[in-house]
Amino acid sequence: MSDDDWVEVRSCAWPHEAAFVKSLLESEDIEVLIPNEYTLSIQPLYAPALGGVRVLVRRRDLARARDVLTGGQV
């Protein structure tokens, strides 16, 4: 495993939720990838079949991304 590997930080039910999470993380300079982002924006009902709308970050940023998404709450 490498620090550059992509890992899931959150799985959302809908593309607009994932887009919001992505914007929060990117505002903190965390690189974000949403696999199937374009497919799900056209056909959001495919999300359950694809395991939800997965939000990925680099392994090295995982702890910081979780902190951003919880607002620093443990």
Side-chain angles (χ1 to χ4, degrees):
M1 280 190 263
S2 164
D3 281 347
D4 286 332
D5 290 343
W6 291 99
V7 294
E8 184 175 303
V9 68
R10 179 74 51 97
S11 180
C12 301
W14 297 102
H16 68 273
E17 292 173 305
F20 179 73
V21 170
K22 181 179 179 179
S23 70
L24 286 175
L25 296 173
E26 287 180 338
S27 74
E28 296 294 325
D29 294 322
I30 297 173
E31 191 176 6
V32 179
L33 175 68
I34 300 176
N36 304 311
E37 181 174 15
Y38 300 108
T39 300
L40 293 172
S41 67
I42 293 169
Q43 187 48 267
L45 297 178
Y46 285 173
L50 297 172
V53 185
R54 299 179 317 128
V55 180
L56 309 179
V57 297
R58 299 287 185 174
R59 183 176 305 282
R60 67 176 167 264
D61 295 325
L62 183 59
R64 192 162 59 99
R66 286 180 177 160
D67 189 50
V68 168
L69 295 177
T70 61
Q73 303 296 316
V74 178

